[in-house]
Amino acid sequence: MNAQLSVSTNVVWHRATVTRARREAQNGHRGAILWFTGLSGSGKSTLAHAVEEALHHRGCRTFVLDGDNVRHGLCGDLGFSAQDRQENIRRIGEMAKIFMEAGIIVLTAFISPYCADRERVRGIVERGDFIEIYCDTPIEICESRDVKGLYKKARAGQLAEFTGITSPYEIPENCELTVDTGTTELGACVRQVIDEMTQHGIIATANSNRERGRKA
């Protein structure tokens, strides 16, 4: 499953004078990668955008990288074979890292079915910068939300390499957070993610934000 990547030569890393720490100080929060993973229809995009909305109201700098959106451009040349999925996640991981180093909280919503690919992204950033969030929804519920009709096509043999039906999904073994996106109300799921971010020191508590506002 290892993609064959060309190696650039004669390149030197250029260090900027505006550092990640300075950007984070200006933003009032840490940069981080929130990696939402789960089956198609598990609620990844819905939860990621709802969390972004909550963070936006707090004044945080954020951006959501959504699976379908990215395949319109950056990854538009990739299919859904195991090798193409690996390359898709590699590109997203590198882009997410750049966003994070800009001091932004980047939320990614990708099926990312393979543990090795998710761990590879985790490995390119420092400990505590990557928060893996498993959107745990039974496949029956995912299929009931199938607005695109993809599960139906996969069941009928019309769609090859579809995760959960004709292609595997590897459940995270050591994720930071598992959210029941199948039956739990969206607002409660958002609060779980916000609480996890607070515990990791990515954002301050709501009380801290109010106190900072009074001092300002």
Side-chain angles (χ1 to χ4, degrees):
M1 265 175 60
N2 291 327
Q4 297 298 314
L5 302 175
S6 60
V7 179
S8 300
T9 58
N10 300 315
V11 293
V12 178
W13 188 265
H14 184 82
R15 297 194 176 277
T17 57
V18 179
T19 63
R20 173 183 171 183
R22 290 176 65 188
R23 297 184 187 106
E24 291 177 335
Q26 187 177 65
N27 293 346
H29 59 77
R30 281 178 47 208
I33 299 172
L34 304 185
W35 194 277
F36 295 84
T37 177
L39 293 171
S40 177
S42 62
K44 302 178 299 298
S45 293
T46 299
L47 180 55
H49 283 283
V51 171
E52 182 184 40
E53 189 68 35
L55 293 173
H56 184 75
H57 284 292
R58 287 171 173 246
C60 298
R61 298 185 186 276
T62 61
F63 197 83
V64 175
L65 298 175
D66 181 86
D68 280 358
N69 291 357
V70 169
R71 282 184 177 271
H72 276 90
L74 178 66
C75 298
D77 59 323
L78 300 176
F80 291 91
S81 67
Q83 185 171 358
D84 278 1
R85 286 176 183 270
Q86 180 183 1
E87 174 60 11
N88 184 54
I89 297 307
R90 187 196 70 81
R91 293 182 193 180
I92 299 311
E94 293 291 346
M95 184 163 64
K97 181 182 179 182
I98 292 172
F99 272 84
M100 181 196 71
E101 290 177 347
I104 293 171
I105 299 169
V106 54
L107 307 91
T108 75
F110 296 84
I111 294 174
S112 47
Y114 303 118
C115 288
D117 293 342
R118 299 190 299 264
E119 287 303 306
R120 193 171 293 112
V121 177
R122 183 189 292 274
I124 67 173
V125 299
E126 296 297 321
R127 183 179 177 87
D129 286 342
F130 181 91
I131 309 298
E132 186 176 9
I133 303 163
Y134 172 42
C135 295
D136 185 7
T137 301
I139 193 168
E140 296 79 12
I141 295 179
C142 293
E143 289 194 61
S144 72
R145 299 170 173 172
D146 189 18
V147 295
K148 301 177 188 176
L150 300 179
Y151 279 99
K152 185 176 180 180
K153 289 181 179 179
R155 294 283 189 193
Q158 300 171 1
L159 197 59
E161 298 174 313
F162 186 76
T163 304
I165 305 297
T166 52
S167 184
Y169 177 81
E170 297 174 0
I171 296 173
E173 298 176 354
N174 298 298
C175 60
E176 280 72 17
L177 180 64
T178 296
V179 182
D180 176 8
T181 45
T183 59
T184 303
E185 185 266 331
L186 179 60
C189 294
V190 170
R191 288 191 291 274
Q192 283 184 261
V193 177
I194 295 295
D195 287 347
E196 188 71 21
M197 296 176 68
T198 302
Q199 291 173 22
H200 280 82
I202 298 168
I203 57 174
T205 63
N207 287 337
S208 297
N209 287 336
R210 285 194 289 269
E211 185 64 26
R212 186 164 60 244
R214 282 196 292 269
K215 289 180 180 179

